[in-house]
């Protein structure tokens, strides 16, 4: 059987919110070491990968590997029924066709149990090669979210350029153009590490979707190299992460 | 003539909000002892009954019985024009075709007077028999509201079961199923008194509508007996109440 | 060239919000003494006039008169991209076809530059004669906004009457009628100065649009005389103002 307990439901809510804009239905792969999820977005352009180590949980037990296929919007509805500070236990017997979510209020005078039907989903596991990125930027997650949102008003594409000690975002469209420059700071708020300067262009709406994970982490890590997908990573409570990958836009030869 | 004054408009706003989801137009029956309103909902399934004793008001005068027919959404619009802490005086001369609402700010430098046209409404007065309920549960009003809202995501029907020292709500549908159990607490937050255990099924959307009265009271009282309508009662400032009645769903013989 | 710097973007946001409900596109007339804008609303019924003296700005330079035609909704989008406490510098070289907005965060670790295309707009300059108003009322801007909003629920027209030491607003429609009376106060919150009592009727929706300027100023000044447009004025930080003008409704002879 599988059983995992979190001291607060808030974390689980944030994770599901970070995923469900990108994938409607997906499989939680539960094993003895923790929970993994990997999925292409609905239009097969970007990829999201979630990992939660055993250590993220108050209690964790997984007798044999299980694949729990779920509709993330249904799951989100279930989680909305819990208070943020309710403890939540996720459980499923072996060969289950349902997964159970039990919420317990702090004083335990209230218990709520939800059963969600599991879905039979096909899923190909994609190997994501470990990449050493030429440019790695770590910056406040809210700042990155705001830039993506602001840029979206101007253009479908966002150009990201890394250069020595700064990262530059730019967009240009009907309305006009915008350039935002973030400098490395001495206090560590923003760190920019560049082996090789690089300039790449991305579809802004995917970047914006990635920023749904902002509530999960203070910082976001951006990794870029020529000819590999952009990495946008949010670390979750030291023992997990959610990573998004997005291929750069191919340069229009006429541009 | 009729004249009634409340020290704050907030209470009146809350009452009208508790009613207008259920009845669009209704009659306030004003007598020397206070104000009563009784009305079936628009689809004639549930019943709401409001009572405000004279003692609820700062000033109260009613020379002869009057029936003031009003459109509750229009009344709500008028009340939105007042600050919550404005004092409000409701008045109507005998045989009036209008009712006047006067709002006075604390410092009295602002006075606002609204006149609403009265409506000619037919209304049958239904006798509501006093019932001794087999099960009586008193619980936090916000908790009940939240349960009704959460259950609505799962099913049109909500099953309520009372049993010794706990009340259990359950629903089951396409998405999955949910069980919420509230235990009697020693600190009096939740009290459950059961003569005879009972399990009844109700249309969730009516229950949800009843919870519009939540801002009126910390606690809600739920009364159930076999073969009589469910009672959902909110006490208003010691001298009044709003009560909702809803017949149980008849069991489907095929179920 | 033209360059003007404000210590905080908030003020500029409020000004644009006060204008863009009334005019979609307009011209900022920049001269050595400051910035002016004058425009009829889109339906040519009301007039808005903005004036910001040089002294409103931290830095101000205007080598030669320039007319910057802008789409106010586009401008609003640009301003939404700045934090309220970012400093903003507006600049344009002579004969520019673009205007640049540079935002700088307090610590300067973030700079954002937006370029907006300028528009070629025709504009007639209207002489607004200086008027001595028979009635001048100064009252809290939020109070005036609330009255306009509340009245709009009752009627398309709002009647404003000034009389000795009070201003009275009234409206009457299908729903019923409303009268709101604001008295002059000894503490200076409300001052009413009346040479000649007057009663005029106005289209409420224009008044409501004017109240978009409420965040700019604690107080609003209302000026009325027979046969001249109503003045509604909000003072901006001692060195500027936004003034709205609206002709009274002509009395319907059959009314």
């Amino acid at each position: 059987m599988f059983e995992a307990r979190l001291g607060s439901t808030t974390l689980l809510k944030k994770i599901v919110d970070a995923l469900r804009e990108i994938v409607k239905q997906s499989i939680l792969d539960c094993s003895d070491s923790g929970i993994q999820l990997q999925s292409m977005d609905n239009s097969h352009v970007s990829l999201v990968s979630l990992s939660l180590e055993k250590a993220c949980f108050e209690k964790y037990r997984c007798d044999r590997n299980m694949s729990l296929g779920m509709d993330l919007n249904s799951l989100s509805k279930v989680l909305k029924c819990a208070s943020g500070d309710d403890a939540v236990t996720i459980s499923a017997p072996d060969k289950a066709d349902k997964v159970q979510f039990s919420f317990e209020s702090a004083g335990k005078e209230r218990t709520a149990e939800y059963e969600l039907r599991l879905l039979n989903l096909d899923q190909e596991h994609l190997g994501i090669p470990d990449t050493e990125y030429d440019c790695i930027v770590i910056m406040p997650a809210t700042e990155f979210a705001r830039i993506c949102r602001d840029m979206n008003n101007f253009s479908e594409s966002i150009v990201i350029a890394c250069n020595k000690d700064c990262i530059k975002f730019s967009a240009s469209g009907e309305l006009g153009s915008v350039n935002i420059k973030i400098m490395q700071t001495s206090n560590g708020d923003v760190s920019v590490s560049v082996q090789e300067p690089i300039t790449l262009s991305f579809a802004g709406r995917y970047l914006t979707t990635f920023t749904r994970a902002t509530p999960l982490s203070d910082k976001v890590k951006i990794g870029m190299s020529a000819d590999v997908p952009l990495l946008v990573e949010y670390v979750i409570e030291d023992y997990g992460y959610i990573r998004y990958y997005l291929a750069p836009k191919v340069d229009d030869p006429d541009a």
Side-chain angles (χ1 to χ4, degrees), chain A:
Chain A
M1 86 165 278
F2 169 72
E3 197 179 48
R5 181 185 159 97
L6 282 168
S8 117
T9 307
T10 305
L11 179 63
L12 194 55
K13 285 187 185 181
K14 289 178 183 169
I15 290 172
V16 174
D17 284 341
L19 296 172
R20 71 196 178 93
E21 276 300 291
I22 297 202
V23 279
K24 297 260 168 290
Q25 304 185 324
S26 189
I27 293 173
L28 285 184
D29 290 307
C30 308
S31 72
D32 187 46
S33 62
I35 298 177
Q36 313 277 329
L37 174 152
Q38 208 188 83
S39 220
M40 301 291 288
D41 76 277
N42 303 317
S43 52
H44 281 71
V45 172
S46 66
L47 178 78
V48 61
S49 162
L50 166 76
S51 170
L52 295 172
E53 285 178 46
K54 211 168 156 168
C56 290
F57 298 90
E58 272 190 17
K59 216 161 87 183
Y60 190 88
R61 172 183 163 192
C62 186
D63 299 341
R64 28 170 293 180
N65 291 1
M66 291 186 78
S67 291
L68 307 176
M70 285 187 237
D71 182 275
L72 296 180
N73 284 318
S74 303
L75 176 52
S76 170
K77 274 187 192 171
V78 165
L79 295 176
K80 278 209 188 93
C81 299
S83 291
D85 50 0
D86 284 358
V88 54
T89 303
I90 312 166
S91 60
D94 292 346
K95 300 188 184 168
D97 63 344
K98 289 175 188 166
V99 56
Q100 183 173 290
F101 294 84
S102 305
F103 302 106
E104 231 175 70
S105 65
K108 298 198 183 179
E109 70 290 336
R110 180 191 201 268
T111 59
E113 282 171 10
Y114 292 83
E115 279 188 348
L116 260 192
R117 289 189 214 299
L118 291 173
L119 305 176
N120 254 321
L121 301 174
D122 284 334
Q123 195 171 34
E124 23 168 0
H125 276 263
L126 308 156
I128 302 173
D130 262 342
T131 303
E132 295 246 342
Y133 293 95
D134 287 341
C135 301
I136 292 179
V137 177
I138 296 173
M139 62 184 284
T142 50
E143 180 74 33
F144 179 63
R146 188 180 140 195
I147 290 171
C148 292
R149 187 201 63 195
D150 291 350
M151 296 262 157
N152 262 349
N153 281 326
F154 284 82
S155 168
E156 289 181 4
S157 298
I158 298 180
V159 177
I160 307 182
C162 280
N163 207 319
K164 235 182 26 188
D165 53 359
C166 92
I167 179 167
K168 220 179 81 185
F169 301 84
S170 44
S172 171
E174 288 278 300
L175 204 64
S177 64
V178 49
N179 282 291
I180 298 178
K181 212 161 73 177
I182 308 288
M183 308 293 293
Q184 168 152 317
T185 56
S186 50
N187 64 8
D189 261 6
V190 179
S191 94
V192 180
S193 132
V194 176
Q195 310 283 359
E196 193 73 48
I198 198 169
T199 299
L200 293 170
S201 174
F202 300 95
R205 67 191 187 88
Y206 290 100
L207 295 182
T208 304
T209 315
F210 301 166
T211 63
R212 293 278 172 159
T214 304
L216 278 168
S217 190
D218 286 347
K219 293 288 172 70
V220 61
K221 176 172 152 186
I222 299 165
M224 296 203 302
S225 280
D227 305 321
V228 304
L230 169 82
L231 164 73
V232 176
E233 178 188 281
Y234 297 85
V235 171
I236 301 171
E237 309 231 322
D238 294 340
Y239 294 106
Y241 59 77
I242 188 161
R243 290 182 185 150
Y244 302 93
Y245 299 90
L246 177 65
K249 281 190 147 184
V250 177
D251 279 359
D252 183 341
D254 301 328

